[in-house]
Amino acid sequence: MNAAFNSKTEDSPRTSPDVSLEARLEAAARVSAAHFERMLDYLSYLPASDIELVRQAWHYADKAHTNQWRSSGDPYITHPIAVTTICAHWKLDAPALMAALLHDAMEDCGITKEDLADRFGPVVADLVDGLTKLDKLHFNTREESQAESFRKMLLAMAKDVRVILIKLADRTHNMRTMGDMPRSKWGRIASETLEIYAPIAHRLGLNQTYRELQDLSFHYQNPWRYATLEKAITKSRARRHDLVLRVQNEIAAAFDRVNMSVRLAGRESTLYSLYQKMLRHHLTFAQVTDIYGFRIIVPTVTDCYTALGILHQMYKPVPGKFKDHIAIAKSNGYQSLHTMLVGPSGVNIEFQIRTEPMHIVAEAGIAAHWLYKSQGKQESLNTKWLQSLLDIQTETNDATEFWDNVKVDLFPDSIYVFTPKSKIMAMPRGATVVDFAYAIHSNIGHHTVSALINGEPASLRTELKSGDVVQIITDDNATPNPVWLGFVKTGRARSKIRNYLKTAAHSESMVLGETLLTQALREEGIAAIPANDEANQPLWNAVLLKANSPSREDLLTDIGMGRQAAGWVARHFMALLASQGQRPDAVLLSQERFASSSQRSRSTVALDGNSNASVRYAACCRPVPGDAVVAYLGRGDGLHVHNAQCINAKRLQATDSERLVPVEWAEDSSQKLYDSGLSVTIHNQKGVLARVATELSDANVDIRRLEMDDEAAMQTTELRFIVSVHNQQQVEAALRSLRRIPTVVRASRILPLE
Ligand code: MN
């Protein structure tokens, strides 16, 4: 472990409170300069011009944090400098180091993103802004699955991996200096580190940071237990010192004999991982510390396997403990050969064998990308993961795009949004409000009418972004809109909507089919559809066979959809009944054929204003209650209701009268709203349109759409409105008041006549 990593960065003297402010600030400036100078030692990998930029960022941050102090009493600026120093160990580039110096400036000092962009350019400003946004997220639920989502959300929200790295450096320094914080805060901060930040470090392969964060968290969560374990381990190390030395010498000698230059390092587990092992496997301290670890770093990949062979000759391997993580790297890029051997005096020894690049990746993970770049020795790259990182980098040369590409590898392309109760939901990128509604529950999805995103009204097709708080507003009467299928992203929403529409269309069509078949049967002198009971089973079977329908429901649905003619089915019923000796009801026959329409109403289709899969109102004439109407049974798409005067209806009557179905308005049909088309011709004068609109609104008529000719030269203009009304009376009243306007030449329904 690098010594500088371990050193407490906040070691400056505390100023005593009785010193005047001026003297305190002077002292602080000296401390700041001293810390900055010390950090410069780690920046030798940067060109002088970059170091100058970093210095400017420090000056700016130093000024911004003037007279701000850490809990320890240190000038606040020592914290950003320490965070930057950690970033310098990863050899991050100048913009990242500048952002690290400025990372608390926006939040604490009233500096805006624009200020930073003006001064240091958009890249630095974006990085600092990204960090400030992450700071606003607080994790406060105990649920394990939520922790996982929160981690992913943090990663997904950061547009640039440098933001995550600086954030981890920030958290690392805060954990190192937590002793200065009030004890009451230790528990919360430590568990947040353990649940969120340590796993993120692990996911990105920053194993050294991962171990340090875990150990520090353990230290502050369980100070007493930590101290006990620490004492015990120091003792046991002293006891086993000779043994470790002996193994070390034997290995060194063995590799010397084959002329392989290896680097050998002892590997010590952190107290946290020892403690976890004891808990998980119910082991005693002696049992867990009885395992020793060595790390062997060799020149080439082939040497890894050679080294393995040498070790297996020296000591007996423990069966089942060999793992080849070189051939199959871990998802965070980690590569090594692992084996366990029985060493001198029967002590188990774990070995990790790897090359130098593998070692860098194993310790620094994604930061290896910068570490490697700074060394400028690409030819020795032999880890695939690192190579792929560098490939992406050379292909894109854009940090944002680079991170986007890496993210795809790290986790599925997801976004993370909140319910109003702060539950985190993972959604695929591009998911909309409707997808979210269905993800909560299909009943919510089916009844969604609108939504608030972060408290603002948003359309249902709005794509969600990570961090959005989404509230769905439902209405029990609302149903899924087929339009949704055009924009939903998730398979779940799609299949739920489809299924709903299919079922709804099916049952609506079946009801219509029943009415139509009853109508047709009555015209043949049969009062009702034969019951679906045992006695009628042979009759139904014969009809279904003839109609090639699998079931009674299917037959009725087909009739309702217009795929099967009701008259044809009725005639088959009649023929079958006649062959059984049944005769048509003569009274019914004459009634049906000669009675007035009001007496037939029992078998006509009632229009209740619900436009659905089996009934739709024709867009050419837009009938409303009160209009005389006719209905045409389309082929496979249900009833089309036309105004009786409509030219299209008349044509259908002439050519396809078989498919006309008697319909009438239901008694309560005026309670619904209907679209109606109005044509209003006006003299071109200022304010006419406004006058027309006012008149319509006074008549309680809502305008849903307006079209007009764009010919300013003409004396008159035709306005075409689609309005929303309850019935014919209301339309006529509105037209009357429009005609009273002097500048209105003509006002009428839009109705294609001859
Ligand atoms: Mn900070």
Side-chain angles (χ1 to χ4, degrees), residues 661-674:
V661 173
V663 290
E664 62 186 24
W665 295 102
E667 238 168 76
D668 58 354
S669 58
S670 285
Q671 285 173 11
K672 292 268 165 57
L673 283 166
Y674 302 80

Side-chain angles (χ1 to χ4, degrees), residues 70 76 79-80 83 100 103-104 108 135 166-167 169-171 173-174:
R70 297 275 287 171
Y76 193 86
H79 165 66
V83 172
H103 80 268
D104 282 329
D108 302 342
D135 270 344
I166 298 167
K167 183 71 205 164
D170 182 31
R171 180 53 61 123
H173 183 247
N174 284 333

Side-chain angles (χ1 to χ4, degrees), residues 12-33:
S12 53
R14 298 188 184 203
T15 40
S16 55
D18 56 342
V19 183
S20 73
L21 180 64
E22 205 180 318
R24 254 190 112 189
L25 293 180
E26 244 173 61
R30 279 196 302 276
V31 171
S32 174

Side-chain angles (χ1 to χ4, degrees), residues 247-261:
V247 172
Q248 233 163 1
N249 289 335
E250 285 181 13
I251 294 171
F255 283 102
D256 250 5
R257 277 197 293 280
V258 296
N259 257 332
M260 190 188 289
S261 71

